[in-house]
Amino acid sequence: MNSVDMQNVPHLTTALRGPLHQLEAHLLAHQAEIENWFRNQWLATPPPFYASVDVRNAGFKLAPVDTNLFPAGFNNLNPAFEPLCVQAVHAAIERWLPTAVRVLLVPERHTRNINYLESVAALRDILAKAGLEVRIGSLIEDMRNPQKIPLPSGRTLRLEPVARVANRVAVGDFSPCFVLLNNDLSGGAPILDDLEQMVIPHPSLGWSERLKSVHFSHYRDVARELATRVDIDAWLIDPLFRNCGEINFMKREGEECLADNVEALLAQIRRKYREFQVDKPPFVMVKADAGTYGMAVMTVHDSDELRELNRKQRTRMSSTKGGQTVTKVIMQEGVYSFETWGARQAVAEPVVYLIDRHVVGGFYRVHTDRGENENLNAPGARFEPLAFAGSCITPDRDREPDAQPNRFYAYGVLGRLATLAAARETAHSQTLPPECDDEPNAVAAG
Amino acid sequence: MNSVDMQNVPHLTTALRGPLHQLEAHLLAHQAEIENWFRNQWLATPPPFYASVDVRNAGFKLAPVDTNLFPAGFNNLNPAFEPLCVQAVHAAIERWLPTAVRVLLVPERHTRNINYLESVAALRDILAKAGLEVRIGSLIEDMRNPQKIPLPSGRTLRLEPVARVANRVAVGDFSPCFVLLNNDLSGGAPILDDLEQMVIPHPSLGWSERLKSVHFSHYRDVARELATRVDIDAWLIDPLFRNCGEINFMKREGEECLADNVEALLAQIRRKYREFQVDKPPFVMVKADAGTYGMAVMTVHDSDELRELNRKQRTRMSSTKGGQTVTKVIMQEGVYSFETWGARQAVAEPVVYLIDRHVVGGFYRVHTDRGENENLNAPGARFEPLAFAGSCITPDRDREPDAQPNRFYAYGVLGRLATLAAARETAHSQTLPPECDDEPNAVAAG
């Protein structure tokens, strides 16, 4: 890591640092307990293959706001930590399919998003360096022949149409041991239904089937368990939330429930802000409970805003990725982003990556056009990635709690907490797969 | 990694590169098979907690010459890869003692070797960053009070006398969950006998109890298994060896057996050199079968040399570390070191480090005073450490087989092979320990 990297760390608004400094100090002082706790948690509930967690750092509070089990953005990680990713993939393969040799990586369909394709290429390279034979299977429906896509990084991506024969998928003559999904299948993919091959992560783990309210109620549990251990108020790491039953934005059904709950939530946050002497207006994020891609999300400072939605706002809240209708929402405490980057004070949101149980790095979404209380992962939102300069697993107790390695460590703890919540949420789907027949003689006489 | 690091790679004498280039190309082409094979090997035979492997690169051949299960030299690894070590320690703890919080690190007794103390400090930091509470227990007999040793790196080492109460050891009021040995106990340590606490690695794994001939016969097995898989001559990765029964250098007993076997070994090597067109004189290393610290080792080019040993040479071959008498020797094919470093063409010998099953880095012993066919790890031997510039786990199939990441990958394969041999050799001692009672409530309701 060179000296330039060392400086690439966003600035945290100092006026609000006090309590976070305390939080980071607590996490650091209880590191041995935290690591012990995580070790035992992973033994009880195995981690997903991979995950990325959006974290927001409000200075007084650190909280995850989204946990993605089909992460993109591998191209935004610090190349210096690629070996960490490779080592973690060894662990993931050992856990899921120690006999595996051949893997079919199935990415999202959108081939025009160069950044996403760079992520797929970066992920492919990590898998290959861990010793897997990787091919990329495209679900694009009209694809007939392999397609080579040269990328700005110099990498080339080779997409091949996925073919199904009986209960197996293949590309060309390459019959994989397992399918690694980097696609949440919110558009559906019957070609992958009921395969003889293992599909990891399980297709039911996309945000189109998961409910944020279920995820965050598991998160609330794990946050409380950890908070008890390290003796902090769980609120410092846990965003409050509420939800209603069925709603229909177009028909204005459920509007009262929404407004009432937002009001109650704002009051709850206000009390916490008073308790922790936070002098900022509270706000709430209203999101589709089964949503992704930052669609159907709005920021609310006052419950009246929900009673005064215009047609355009209603329409925007009514459907999410792939045109799915929003029938449930989650109202979640808004968490300020008080990390800024550069002279223009661009808001910076950390994203933490895990492979298996290991935090392998992260990056900041640096957003020059948005405010500190807005959703940074909105459609069309442009951000500059800023790779984490340090790893998230090398805290240094000889330095200040908010020194760079320790702030990254805190992000890693939050990332793992959210991933553990996802692991509990999805435990039902994590059946162990059969062995692969790729390598019938894989185990030599020992 | 900066550009200076990128250049810190020893030069390999080019005239002899041909066959190694082939070997590296083979390993690279068969990477998926190799990784799959290792994965399954580790499932069958768990790896030791940690290991370091001395490798020699003869250009035409790549072979391990020593496998240490109580490795020093952690201070010589590239700091950029500390996260890899930390991640691997998480894996090791999960394998051995997932409930562990407190560990007592027991180093060698020699407190005057600053380099060794720096290694202990580096190891302590790695363990602490993985979330263990680490204290350092000294076996120095006259130590009564804790001793603080400031080190040139700026680190401070705190040694504490180990106290035994009934079947447990402690330092002060710190009662560890387990003892991590970084001391092969060749001097004996009754204070650690029959403890209730787990001692890792098992004290029987020091070179004073292990026999090199046993290790290398396991190594021969694993090398052959791998060689068959990747379709190379096993000799390219395996040093030939032979041994005799009891010998006594002082009484000149067993001399004929030694000389005969060295002659046979030299003839064997000569045949292989002819087959692979190696135009160098073969040589043999005669080593104490149960030896360490580079003591009782000699280089032999002709069996007659063994019949003409003078008194000084006999004495030197008669005893090893701690004054133990040599009664068995191993005669091993000498492997040239054809990597050189710097304008002075200093011989460079790679040392590969593993924690659990993971290759976490390595360094070169760069030796300015010795020849290409001598033992580089001799008593009083001075070397300059040169950290590996890249990781050993990120091979790059888009580059030449002997490009830096691929040469390091080959070293990692050899390091793992030797460690796997050690794992088989020591499998009997690897009983799983009981849980620790450090943390009775370690697993929260999940």
Side-chain angles (χ1 to χ4, degrees), chain A residues 48-49 85-103 126-127 130-134 177-178 180 200 355-356 432-433 436, chain B residues 32 35-36 39-40 43 357:
Chain A
F49 190 92
C85 297
V86 173
Q87 198 183 77
V89 167
H90 281 293
I93 296 298
E94 192 171 292
R95 183 189 302 280
W96 288 93
L97 279 166
T99 55
V101 172
R102 286 186 274 278
V103 53
I126 290 165
L127 297 169
L132 294 166
E133 289 176 14
V134 193
C177 165
F178 74 102
L180 180 63
I200 305 171
I355 295 176
D356 199 76
L432 276 180
C436 286
Chain B
E35 297 303 327
N36 176 272
R39 260 194 290 280
N40 288 286
L43 289 177
R357 51 161 295 202

mmCIF file of all heavy atoms in Angstrom, chain A residues 48-49 85-103 126-127 130-134 177-178 180 200 355-356 432-433 436, chain B residues 32 35-36 39-40 43 357:
data_model
loop_
_atom_site.group_PDB
_atom_site.id
_atom_site.type_symbol
_atom_site.label_atom_id
_atom_site.label_comp_id
_atom_site.label_asym_id
_atom_site.label_seq_id
_atom_site.Cartn_x
_atom_site.Cartn_y
_atom_site.Cartn_z
ATOM 1 N N PRO A 48 -23.437 -17.046 3.672
ATOM 2 C CA PRO A 48 -23.689 -17.207 2.235
ATOM 3 C C PRO A 48 -22.370 -17.234 1.461
ATOM 4 O O PRO A 48 -21.325 -16.901 2.020
ATOM 5 C CB PRO A 48 -24.506 -15.960 1.868
ATOM 6 C CG PRO A 48 -24.253 -14.964 2.954
ATOM 7 C CD PRO A 48 -23.907 -15.748 4.187
ATOM 8 N N PHE A 49 -22.428 -17.636 0.194
ATOM 9 C CA PHE A 49 -21.209 -17.704 -0.608
ATOM 10 C C PHE A 49 -20.517 -16.348 -0.659
ATOM 11 O O PHE A 49 -19.311 -16.259 -0.455
ATOM 12 C CB PHE A 49 -21.533 -18.172 -2.039
ATOM 13 C CG PHE A 49 -20.311 -18.492 -2.857
ATOM 14 C CD1 PHE A 49 -19.806 -19.781 -2.883
ATOM 15 C CD2 PHE A 49 -19.652 -17.508 -3.588
ATOM 16 C CE1 PHE A 49 -18.666 -20.085 -3.629
ATOM 17 C CE2 PHE A 49 -18.511 -17.793 -4.333
ATOM 18 C CZ PHE A 49 -18.021 -19.093 -4.347
ATOM 19 N N CYS A 85 -9.384 -12.111 -1.436
ATOM 20 C CA CYS A 85 -10.570 -12.667 -2.108
ATOM 21 C C CYS A 85 -10.304 -14.107 -2.534
ATOM 22 O O CYS A 85 -11.149 -14.986 -2.361
ATOM 23 C CB CYS A 85 -10.929 -11.832 -3.340
ATOM 24 S SG CYS A 85 -11.399 -10.137 -2.980
ATOM 25 N N VAL A 86 -9.124 -14.335 -3.084
ATOM 26 C CA VAL A 86 -8.789 -15.679 -3.570
ATOM 27 C C VAL A 86 -8.771 -16.667 -2.402
ATOM 28 O O VAL A 86 -9.348 -17.759 -2.470
ATOM 29 C CB VAL A 86 -7.424 -15.662 -4.297
ATOM 30 C CG1 VAL A 86 -6.979 -17.079 -4.654
ATOM 31 C CG2 VAL A 86 -7.509 -14.792 -5.549
ATOM 32 N N GLN A 87 -8.144 -16.260 -1.303
ATOM 33 C CA GLN A 87 -8.079 -17.146 -0.133
ATOM 34 C C GLN A 87 -9.485 -17.445 0.390
ATOM 35 O O GLN A 87 -9.788 -18.572 0.776
ATOM 36 C CB GLN A 87 -7.237 -16.472 0.968
ATOM 37 C CG GLN A 87 -6.737 -17.436 2.017
ATOM 38 C CD GLN A 87 -5.959 -16.722 3.126
ATOM 39 O OE1 GLN A 87 -6.519 -16.102 3.998
ATOM 40 N NE2 GLN A 87 -4.648 -16.831 3.083
ATOM 41 N N ALA A 88 -10.340 -16.424 0.375
ATOM 42 C CA ALA A 88 -11.703 -16.621 0.877
ATOM 43 C C ALA A 88 -12.517 -17.519 -0.048
ATOM 44 O O ALA A 88 -13.365 -18.289 0.407
ATOM 45 C CB ALA A 88 -12.393 -15.269 1.070
ATOM 46 N N VAL A 89 -12.252 -17.438 -1.354
ATOM 47 C CA VAL A 89 -12.953 -18.342 -2.280
ATOM 48 C C VAL A 89 -12.554 -19.790 -1.998
ATOM 49 O O VAL A 89 -13.394 -20.693 -2.030
ATOM 50 C CB VAL A 89 -12.688 -17.962 -3.764
ATOM 51 C CG1 VAL A 89 -13.140 -19.081 -4.707
ATOM 52 C CG2 VAL A 89 -13.415 -16.668 -4.109
ATOM 53 N N HIS A 90 -11.277 -20.019 -1.674
ATOM 54 C CA HIS A 90 -10.872 -21.371 -1.272
ATOM 55 C C HIS A 90 -11.748 -21.863 -0.118
ATOM 56 O O HIS A 90 -12.202 -23.003 -0.102
ATOM 57 C CB HIS A 90 -9.398 -21.393 -0.836
ATOM 58 C CG HIS A 90 -8.420 -21.400 -1.974
ATOM 59 N ND1 HIS A 90 -8.309 -22.467 -2.835
ATOM 60 C CD2 HIS A 90 -7.512 -20.494 -2.381
ATOM 61 C CE1 HIS A 90 -7.360 -22.198 -3.733
ATOM 62 N NE2 HIS A 90 -6.861 -21.002 -3.476
ATOM 63 N N ALA A 91 -11.979 -20.972 0.855
ATOM 64 C CA ALA A 91 -12.807 -21.357 2.009
ATOM 65 C C ALA A 91 -14.246 -21.623 1.593
ATOM 66 O O ALA A 91 -14.880 -22.584 2.059
ATOM 67 C CB ALA A 91 -12.756 -20.259 3.072
ATOM 68 N N ALA A 92 -14.774 -20.782 0.704
ATOM 69 C CA ALA A 92 -16.165 -20.943 0.268
ATOM 70 C C ALA A 92 -16.345 -22.258 -0.494
ATOM 71 O O ALA A 92 -17.312 -22.992 -0.283
ATOM 72 C CB ALA A 92 -16.588 -19.762 -0.602
ATOM 73 N N ILE A 93 -15.389 -22.565 -1.373
ATOM 74 C CA ILE A 93 -15.490 -23.803 -2.155
ATOM 75 C C ILE A 93 -15.374 -25.006 -1.226
ATOM 76 O O ILE A 93 -16.114 -25.985 -1.342
ATOM 77 C CB ILE A 93 -14.386 -23.865 -3.242
ATOM 78 C CG1 ILE A 93 -14.581 -22.731 -4.247
ATOM 79 C CG2 ILE A 93 -14.400 -25.212 -3.958
ATOM 80 C CD1 ILE A 93 -15.875 -22.779 -5.001
ATOM 81 N N GLU A 94 -14.469 -24.913 -0.277
ATOM 82 C CA GLU A 94 -14.299 -26.012 0.676
ATOM 83 C C GLU A 94 -15.606 -26.246 1.441
ATOM 84 O O GLU A 94 -15.972 -27.375 1.730
ATOM 85 C CB GLU A 94 -13.169 -25.659 1.642
ATOM 86 C CG GLU A 94 -12.711 -26.810 2.488
ATOM 87 C CD GLU A 94 -11.448 -26.444 3.260
ATOM 88 O OE1 GLU A 94 -10.403 -26.266 2.594
ATOM 89 O OE2 GLU A 94 -11.500 -26.328 4.493
ATOM 90 N N ARG A 95 -16.291 -25.153 1.764
ATOM 91 C CA ARG A 95 -17.548 -25.291 2.515
ATOM 92 C C ARG A 95 -18.660 -25.875 1.660
ATOM 93 O O ARG A 95 -19.405 -26.746 2.092
ATOM 94 C CB ARG A 95 -17.982 -23.922 3.042
ATOM 95 C CG ARG A 95 -19.234 -23.983 3.907
ATOM 96 C CD ARG A 95 -19.784 -22.598 4.253
ATOM 97 N NE ARG A 95 -18.860 -21.733 4.949
ATOM 98 C CZ ARG A 95 -18.594 -21.801 6.260
ATOM 99 N NH1 ARG A 95 -19.188 -22.707 7.003
ATOM 100 N NH2 ARG A 95 -17.744 -20.963 6.802
ATOM 101 N N TRP A 96 -18.776 -25.367 0.429
ATOM 102 C CA TRP A 96 -19.941 -25.724 -0.371
ATOM 103 C C TRP A 96 -19.733 -26.961 -1.209
ATOM 104 O O TRP A 96 -20.603 -27.825 -1.286
ATOM 105 C CB TRP A 96 -20.340 -24.547 -1.269
ATOM 106 C CG TRP A 96 -20.943 -23.419 -0.515
ATOM 107 C CD1 TRP A 96 -20.283 -22.337 -0.015
ATOM 108 C CD2 TRP A 96 -22.302 -23.277 -0.127
ATOM 109 N NE1 TRP A 96 -21.165 -21.536 0.654
ATOM 110 C CE2 TRP A 96 -22.407 -22.072 0.597
ATOM 111 C CE3 TRP A 96 -23.460 -24.048 -0.324
ATOM 112 C CZ2 TRP A 96 -23.613 -21.633 1.133
ATOM 113 C CZ3 TRP A 96 -24.657 -23.588 0.199
ATOM 114 C CH2 TRP A 96 -24.729 -22.404 0.922
ATOM 115 N N LEU A 97 -18.610 -27.019 -1.887
ATOM 116 C CA LEU A 97 -18.420 -28.075 -2.887
ATOM 117 C C LEU A 97 -16.949 -28.407 -3.047
ATOM 118 O O LEU A 97 -16.339 -28.074 -4.051
ATOM 119 C CB LEU A 97 -18.934 -27.583 -4.250
ATOM 120 C CG LEU A 97 -20.428 -27.652 -4.494
ATOM 121 C CD1 LEU A 97 -20.772 -26.831 -5.717
ATOM 122 C CD2 LEU A 97 -20.866 -29.094 -4.711
ATOM 123 N N PRO A 98 -16.372 -29.078 -2.064
ATOM 124 C CA PRO A 98 -14.928 -29.318 -2.147
ATOM 125 C C PRO A 98 -14.504 -30.104 -3.375
ATOM 126 O O PRO A 98 -13.343 -30.058 -3.763
ATOM 127 C CB PRO A 98 -14.606 -30.079 -0.855
ATOM 128 C CG PRO A 98 -15.899 -30.414 -0.221
ATOM 129 C CD PRO A 98 -16.962 -29.549 -0.810
ATOM 130 N N THR A 99 -15.429 -30.807 -3.999
ATOM 131 C CA THR A 99 -15.056 -31.574 -5.190
ATOM 132 C C THR A 99 -15.146 -30.760 -6.477
ATOM 133 O O THR A 99 -14.850 -31.274 -7.549
ATOM 134 C CB THR A 99 -15.968 -32.811 -5.345
ATOM 135 O OG1 THR A 99 -17.324 -32.351 -5.351
ATOM 136 C CG2 THR A 99 -15.763 -33.787 -4.199
ATOM 137 N N ALA A 100 -15.538 -29.508 -6.368
ATOM 138 C CA ALA A 100 -15.800 -28.720 -7.581
ATOM 139 C C ALA A 100 -14.545 -28.375 -8.355
ATOM 140 O O ALA A 100 -13.507 -28.071 -7.773
ATOM 141 C CB ALA A 100 -16.529 -27.433 -7.219
ATOM 142 N N VAL A 101 -14.652 -28.418 -9.654
ATOM 143 C CA VAL A 101 -13.607 -27.921 -10.535
ATOM 144 C C VAL A 101 -14.201 -26.878 -11.490
ATOM 145 O O VAL A 101 -13.670 -25.797 -11.637
ATOM 146 C CB VAL A 101 -12.963 -29.063 -11.348
ATOM 147 C CG1 VAL A 101 -12.022 -28.491 -12.402
ATOM 148 C CG2 VAL A 101 -12.193 -29.993 -10.426
ATOM 149 N N ARG A 102 -15.342 -27.215 -12.087
ATOM 150 C CA ARG A 102 -15.914 -26.353 -13.118
ATOM 151 C C ARG A 102 -17.112 -25.568 -12.587
ATOM 152 O O ARG A 102 -18.023 -26.154 -11.992
ATOM 153 C CB ARG A 102 -16.355 -27.202 -14.306
ATOM 154 C CG ARG A 102 -15.177 -27.709 -15.129
ATOM 155 C CD ARG A 102 -15.626 -28.430 -16.389
ATOM 156 N NE ARG A 102 -15.896 -29.840 -16.123
ATOM 157 C CZ ARG A 102 -14.962 -30.783 -16.068
ATOM 158 N NH1 ARG A 102 -13.699 -30.467 -16.250
ATOM 159 N NH2 ARG A 102 -15.278 -32.032 -15.823
ATOM 160 N N VAL A 103 -17.076 -24.267 -12.799
ATOM 161 C CA VAL A 103 -18.187 -23.436 -12.344
ATOM 162 C C VAL A 103 -18.698 -22.584 -13.502
ATOM 163 O O VAL A 103 -17.922 -22.062 -14.307
ATOM 164 C CB VAL A 103 -17.756 -22.540 -11.157
ATOM 165 C CG1 VAL A 103 -16.511 -21.736 -11.481
ATOM 166 C CG2 VAL A 103 -18.875 -21.584 -10.750
ATOM 167 N N ILE A 126 -10.940 -13.817 -9.925
ATOM 168 C CA ILE A 126 -10.755 -14.283 -8.545
ATOM 169 C C ILE A 126 -11.046 -15.779 -8.452
ATOM 170 O O ILE A 126 -10.283 -16.547 -7.852
ATOM 171 C CB ILE A 126 -11.689 -13.496 -7.585
ATOM 172 C CG1 ILE A 126 -11.213 -12.046 -7.471
ATOM 173 C CG2 ILE A 126 -11.777 -14.161 -6.217
ATOM 174 C CD1 ILE A 126 -12.246 -11.115 -6.846
ATOM 175 N N LEU A 127 -12.137 -16.203 -9.074
ATOM 176 C CA LEU A 127 -12.504 -17.618 -9.045
ATOM 177 C C LEU A 127 -11.438 -18.457 -9.745
ATOM 178 O O LEU A 127 -11.054 -19.533 -9.266
ATOM 179 C CB LEU A 127 -13.866 -17.830 -9.716
ATOM 180 C CG LEU A 127 -15.069 -17.142 -9.051
ATOM 181 C CD1 LEU A 127 -16.292 -17.204 -9.974
ATOM 182 C CD2 LEU A 127 -15.398 -17.786 -7.699
ATOM 183 N N ALA A 130 -8.404 -18.950 -7.715
ATOM 184 C CA ALA A 130 -8.621 -19.947 -6.665
ATOM 185 C C ALA A 130 -8.644 -21.355 -7.249
ATOM 186 O O ALA A 130 -8.902 -22.320 -6.539
ATOM 187 C CB ALA A 130 -9.915 -19.654 -5.910
ATOM 188 N N GLY A 131 -8.395 -21.476 -8.541
ATOM 189 C CA GLY A 131 -8.238 -22.795 -9.128
ATOM 190 C C GLY A 131 -9.509 -23.398 -9.678
ATOM 191 O O GLY A 131 -9.600 -24.615 -9.844
ATOM 192 N N LEU A 132 -10.504 -22.583 -9.974
ATOM 193 C CA LEU A 132 -11.710 -23.108 -10.609
ATOM 194 C C LEU A 132 -11.627 -22.871 -12.116
ATOM 195 O O LEU A 132 -11.021 -21.890 -12.560
ATOM 196 C CB LEU A 132 -12.952 -22.405 -10.046
ATOM 197 C CG LEU A 132 -13.238 -22.694 -8.570
ATOM 198 C CD1 LEU A 132 -14.266 -21.709 -8.021
ATOM 199 C CD2 LEU A 132 -13.736 -24.126 -8.386
ATOM 200 N N GLU A 133 -12.229 -23.776 -12.861
ATOM 201 C CA GLU A 133 -12.388 -23.506 -14.290
ATOM 202 C C GLU A 133 -13.702 -22.770 -14.450
ATOM 203 O O GLU A 133 -14.763 -23.303 -14.123
ATOM 204 C CB GLU A 133 -12.408 -24.808 -15.083
ATOM 205 C CG GLU A 133 -11.045 -25.473 -15.123
ATOM 206 C CD GLU A 133 -11.093 -26.814 -15.827
ATOM 207 O OE1 GLU A 133 -12.100 -27.108 -16.512
ATOM 208 O OE2 GLU A 133 -10.130 -27.582 -15.665
ATOM 209 N N VAL A 134 -13.629 -21.531 -14.919
ATOM 210 C CA VAL A 134 -14.805 -20.669 -14.939
ATOM 211 C C VAL A 134 -15.224 -20.356 -16.363
ATOM 212 O O VAL A 134 -14.386 -19.986 -17.198
ATOM 213 C CB VAL A 134 -14.514 -19.312 -14.238
ATOM 214 C CG1 VAL A 134 -15.813 -18.568 -13.975
ATOM 215 C CG2 VAL A 134 -13.726 -19.509 -12.960
ATOM 216 N N CYS A 177 -19.826 -28.090 -12.598
ATOM 217 C CA CYS A 177 -20.173 -28.750 -11.354
ATOM 218 C C CYS A 177 -21.266 -27.974 -10.651
ATOM 219 O O CYS A 177 -22.194 -28.533 -10.104
ATOM 220 C CB CYS A 177 -18.931 -28.805 -10.475
ATOM 221 S SG CYS A 177 -19.251 -29.181 -8.772
ATOM 222 N N PHE A 178 -21.138 -26.650 -10.664
ATOM 223 C CA PHE A 178 -22.187 -25.835 -10.047
ATOM 224 C C PHE A 178 -22.336 -24.499 -10.758
ATOM 225 O O PHE A 178 -21.480 -24.099 -11.548
ATOM 226 C CB PHE A 178 -21.940 -25.639 -8.550
ATOM 227 C CG PHE A 178 -20.834 -24.685 -8.186
ATOM 228 C CD1 PHE A 178 -21.118 -23.385 -7.767
ATOM 229 C CD2 PHE A 178 -19.500 -25.086 -8.221
ATOM 230 C CE1 PHE A 178 -20.104 -22.503 -7.406
ATOM 231 C CE2 PHE A 178 -18.481 -24.214 -7.859
ATOM 232 C CZ PHE A 178 -18.783 -22.917 -7.455
ATOM 233 N N LEU A 180 -22.764 -20.543 -10.217
ATOM 234 C CA LEU A 180 -22.654 -19.445 -9.267
ATOM 235 C C LEU A 180 -23.457 -18.271 -9.814
ATOM 236 O O LEU A 180 -23.114 -17.698 -10.850
ATOM 237 C CB LEU A 180 -21.184 -19.034 -9.063
ATOM 238 C CG LEU A 180 -20.971 -17.879 -8.073
ATOM 239 C CD1 LEU A 180 -21.430 -18.254 -6.662
ATOM 240 C CD2 LEU A 180 -19.504 -17.468 -8.038
ATOM 241 N N ILE A 200 -25.789 -21.806 -6.571
ATOM 242 C CA ILE A 200 -25.371 -21.040 -5.393
ATOM 243 C C ILE A 200 -25.226 -19.571 -5.782
ATOM 244 O O ILE A 200 -24.594 -19.309 -6.806
ATOM 245 C CB ILE A 200 -23.989 -21.513 -4.866
ATOM 246 C CG1 ILE A 200 -23.992 -23.025 -4.586
ATOM 247 C CG2 ILE A 200 -23.588 -20.757 -3.610
ATOM 248 C CD1 ILE A 200 -22.578 -23.561 -4.271
ATOM 249 N N ILE A 355 -16.693 -12.746 1.273
ATOM 250 C CA ILE A 355 -16.733 -14.029 0.578
ATOM 251 C C ILE A 355 -16.647 -15.060 1.682
ATOM 252 O O ILE A 355 -15.738 -15.005 2.513
ATOM 253 C CB ILE A 355 -15.574 -14.187 -0.423
ATOM 254 C CG1 ILE A 355 -15.721 -13.159 -1.550
ATOM 255 C CG2 ILE A 355 -15.540 -15.600 -0.995
ATOM 256 C CD1 ILE A 355 -14.582 -13.159 -2.562
ATOM 257 N N ASP A 356 -17.629 -15.954 1.710
ATOM 258 C CA ASP A 356 -17.758 -16.856 2.841
ATOM 259 C C ASP A 356 -17.825 -15.988 4.111
ATOM 260 O O ASP A 356 -18.481 -14.942 4.090
ATOM 261 C CB ASP A 356 -16.616 -17.883 2.863
ATOM 262 C CG ASP A 356 -16.947 -19.108 3.732
ATOM 263 O OD1 ASP A 356 -17.730 -19.973 3.303
ATOM 264 O OD2 ASP A 356 -16.447 -19.162 4.870
ATOM 265 N N LEU A 432 -26.959 -28.636 1.851
ATOM 266 C CA LEU A 432 -25.666 -28.976 1.262
ATOM 267 C C LEU A 432 -25.871 -29.798 0.002
ATOM 268 O O LEU A 432 -26.714 -30.685 -0.068
ATOM 269 C CB LEU A 432 -24.795 -29.713 2.265
ATOM 270 C CG LEU A 432 -24.040 -28.766 3.206
ATOM 271 C CD1 LEU A 432 -23.201 -29.551 4.173
ATOM 272 C CD2 LEU A 432 -23.150 -27.807 2.414
ATOM 273 N N PRO A 433 -25.118 -29.472 -1.005
ATOM 274 C CA PRO A 433 -25.271 -30.107 -2.308
ATOM 275 C C PRO A 433 -24.589 -31.474 -2.361
ATOM 276 O O PRO A 433 -23.778 -31.798 -1.496
ATOM 277 C CB PRO A 433 -24.541 -29.141 -3.216
ATOM 278 C CG PRO A 433 -23.463 -28.585 -2.347
ATOM 279 C CD PRO A 433 -24.032 -28.513 -0.973
ATOM 280 N N CYS A 436 -19.690 -33.363 -6.729
ATOM 281 C CA CYS A 436 -19.662 -33.253 -8.177
ATOM 282 C C CYS A 436 -19.077 -34.513 -8.777
ATOM 283 O O CYS A 436 -18.245 -35.174 -8.162
ATOM 284 C CB CYS A 436 -18.788 -32.078 -8.584
ATOM 285 S SG CYS A 436 -19.587 -30.520 -8.265
ATOM 286 N N ALA B 32 -6.405 -25.911 -11.836
ATOM 287 C CA ALA B 32 -7.720 -26.304 -11.306
ATOM 288 C C ALA B 32 -7.629 -27.688 -10.668
ATOM 289 O O ALA B 32 -8.187 -27.939 -9.592
ATOM 290 C CB ALA B 32 -8.769 -26.292 -12.418
ATOM 291 N N GLU B 35 -5.600 -27.448 -7.315
ATOM 292 C CA GLU B 35 -6.360 -26.862 -6.201
ATOM 293 C C GLU B 35 -7.425 -27.837 -5.716
ATOM 294 O O GLU B 35 -7.666 -27.987 -4.523
ATOM 295 C CB GLU B 35 -6.985 -25.532 -6.618
ATOM 296 C CG GLU B 35 -5.961 -24.451 -6.977
ATOM 297 C CD GLU B 35 -4.976 -24.161 -5.848
ATOM 298 O OE1 GLU B 35 -5.363 -24.268 -4.672
ATOM 299 O OE2 GLU B 35 -3.801 -23.848 -6.140
ATOM 300 N N ASN B 36 -8.062 -28.499 -6.658
ATOM 301 C CA ASN B 36 -9.066 -29.489 -6.302
ATOM 302 C C ASN B 36 -8.443 -30.616 -5.481
ATOM 303 O O ASN B 36 -8.982 -31.058 -4.470
ATOM 304 C CB ASN B 36 -9.687 -30.032 -7.593
ATOM 305 C CG ASN B 36 -10.683 -31.138 -7.332
ATOM 306 O OD1 ASN B 36 -10.322 -32.304 -7.268
ATOM 307 N ND2 ASN B 36 -11.935 -30.783 -7.141
ATOM 308 N N ARG B 39 -7.596 -29.365 -1.994
ATOM 309 C CA ARG B 39 -8.812 -29.220 -1.186
ATOM 310 C C ARG B 39 -9.203 -30.558 -0.575
ATOM 311 O O ARG B 39 -9.525 -30.649 0.602
ATOM 312 C CB ARG B 39 -9.978 -28.718 -2.052
ATOM 313 C CG ARG B 39 -10.238 -27.236 -1.929
ATOM 314 C CD ARG B 39 -11.585 -26.835 -2.509
ATOM 315 N NE ARG B 39 -11.646 -26.926 -3.951
ATOM 316 C CZ ARG B 39 -11.163 -26.003 -4.787
ATOM 317 N NH1 ARG B 39 -10.581 -24.921 -4.324
ATOM 318 N NH2 ARG B 39 -11.263 -26.151 -6.078
ATOM 319 N N ASN B 40 -9.144 -31.588 -1.397
ATOM 320 C CA ASN B 40 -9.572 -32.892 -0.918
ATOM 321 C C ASN B 40 -8.532 -33.531 -0.004
ATOM 322 O O ASN B 40 -8.883 -34.270 0.910
ATOM 323 C CB ASN B 40 -9.938 -33.776 -2.111
ATOM 324 C CG ASN B 40 -11.243 -33.307 -2.726
ATOM 325 O OD1 ASN B 40 -12.302 -33.529 -2.168
ATOM 326 N ND2 ASN B 40 -11.162 -32.601 -3.841
ATOM 327 N N LEU B 43 -9.066 -32.098 3.388
ATOM 328 C CA LEU B 43 -10.230 -32.686 4.058
ATOM 329 C C LEU B 43 -9.864 -34.035 4.654
ATOM 330 O O LEU B 43 -10.316 -34.393 5.736
ATOM 331 C CB LEU B 43 -11.404 -32.840 3.078
ATOM 332 C CG LEU B 43 -12.070 -31.524 2.643
ATOM 333 C CD1 LEU B 43 -13.169 -31.803 1.628
ATOM 334 C CD2 LEU B 43 -12.647 -30.769 3.837
ATOM 335 N N ARG B 357 -4.331 -24.198 5.936
ATOM 336 C CA ARG B 357 -4.037 -24.706 4.601
ATOM 337 C C ARG B 357 -3.635 -23.596 3.638
ATOM 338 O O ARG B 357 -3.436 -23.840 2.453
ATOM 339 C CB ARG B 357 -5.246 -25.449 4.038
ATOM 340 C CG ARG B 357 -6.541 -24.653 4.111
ATOM 341 C CD ARG B 357 -7.586 -25.176 3.185
ATOM 342 N NE ARG B 357 -7.113 -24.992 1.826
ATOM 343 C CZ ARG B 357 -7.870 -24.945 0.754
ATOM 344 N NH1 ARG B 357 -9.147 -25.087 0.870
ATOM 345 N NH2 ARG B 357 -7.363 -24.763 -0.437
#
